[in-house]
Amino acid sequence: MKTAALIPARYASTRLPAKLVQDLGGISVIQRTYVSTLATGVFDEVWVVTDHELIREQILDLGGKVFFSTVPHQSGSDRIAEALEVVDADLIVNVQGDEPFQDKKSLSDLVAVFERPKVKMASLMCRISEDEAYNPNAVKVVLDEKNNAIYFSRSPIPFNRERTKDVFYWKHIGVYAYTRELLKEFTSWPKGYLEQIEMLEQLRLIEKGVKIKMVETTHQAIAIDTKEDLDRARNFLKSIL
């Protein structure tokens, strides 16, 4: 099964303008995401899918593969689905462009679940504290007994009604893997009711009854959404170099 990582890289951003081209240790955020994804060795191909010439030039400077999108998209999944016209792979992994430190074990474990024929989509999760569960920016997921997602929410789920001490929470990490066929089908569907309320695209699949296999990781990705996130990423990079 041929596997490709596709990194959606939209130039516009709200909380940190042009965040993907900000400097992170001598190269840009998107360049570092590309380099760290490639360095895992998990994928047959790694592509960046972008709508901006500067990002395109930065990836080409690294010798990387770029799909240039001229169509406006509402989500990263929609953006990478367009790139399927040139990307020839059976399994597509959507790697977030603003997460510059990709982890080999997490991505290997994610891809490995597709050895089971019934798995059509998978994603990552990690345990978090109850305090973090109350942060709406941390998307939570609850599972069935086979580790398939039942629901995703910005609210703390499950709700700890009796305030017991042994309750734990799963945080969803937005790295998705899909079969080629499912990605094409998923992005042809209109937004679902729950997706529009929570603004979480994965709920479109839940509403359609698609099983999303969740894979645990202990890797805490640094997602860059704000200037504070960028400072944290720079400090982390200094600590590992």
Side-chain angles (χ1 to χ4, degrees), residues 30-216:
I30 187 60
Q31 285 177 309
R32 196 160 291 282
T33 302
Y34 172 81
V35 168
S36 69
T37 303
L38 190 65
T40 65
V42 173
F43 306 104
D44 297 300
E45 295 183 355
V46 178
W47 291 73
V48 171
V49 184
T50 188
D51 60 353
H52 200 274
E53 186 61 34
L54 179 56
I55 294 175
R56 178 179 178 272
E57 290 175 0
Q58 288 189 348
I59 299 305
L60 291 177
D61 285 345
L62 297 174
K65 295 182 176 182
V66 180
F67 179 87
F68 195 79
S69 172
T70 58
V71 180
H73 293 291
Q74 294 187 336
S75 73
S77 295
D78 293 323
R79 189 174 303 283
I80 67 172
E82 183 191 354
L84 293 182
E85 62 187 61
V86 299
V87 177
D88 178 24
D90 308 296
L91 179 62
I92 308 297
V93 179
N94 180 348
V95 175
Q96 303 301 310
D98 59 3
E99 295 185 2
F101 307 112
Q102 294 300 318
D103 176 60
K104 178 175 182 176
K105 185 177 186 306
S106 300
L107 294 173
S108 296
D109 290 347
L110 182 66
V111 169
V113 300
F114 287 84
E115 294 173 4
R116 309 170 200 173
K118 291 185 178 180
V119 176
K120 304 299 181 184
M121 181 173 178
S123 194
L124 295 173
M125 64 181 181
C126 65
R127 284 200 188 199
I128 56 172
S129 67
E130 186 167 0
D131 287 342
E132 189 175 356
Y134 278 85
N135 179 354
N137 293 320
V139 177
K140 278 70 61 179
V141 58
V142 289
L143 313 171
D144 66 16
E145 62 183 13
K146 295 182 179 179
N147 277 10
N148 294 309
I150 296 172
Y151 190 69
F152 298 86
S153 182
R154 298 185 184 277
S155 296
I157 51 174
F159 179 71
N160 190 1
R161 182 177 182 274
E162 301 300 321
R163 308 302 299 169
T164 56
K165 295 182 179 180
D166 58 349
V167 173
F168 63 88
Y169 298 85
W170 292 110
K171 175 183 176 180
H172 179 224
I173 298 173
V175 178
Y176 300 99
Y178 338 67
T179 62
R180 182 186 186 90
E181 293 75 18
L182 179 61
L183 175 58
K184 291 173 70 174
E185 186 177 11
F186 160 47
T187 54
S188 73
W189 297 331
K191 275 190 174 183
Y193 172 72
L194 296 173
E195 177 184 5
Q196 293 180 62
I197 294 172
E198 296 246 23
M199 294 305 294
L200 298 172
E201 64 175 335
Q202 61 269 39
L203 290 176
R204 194 184 321 173
L205 293 128
I206 295 295
E207 286 187 87
K208 290 285 189 179
V210 175
K211 297 288 187 182
I212 303 176
K213 180 70 69 177
M214 300 304 299
V215 179
E216 182 179 2

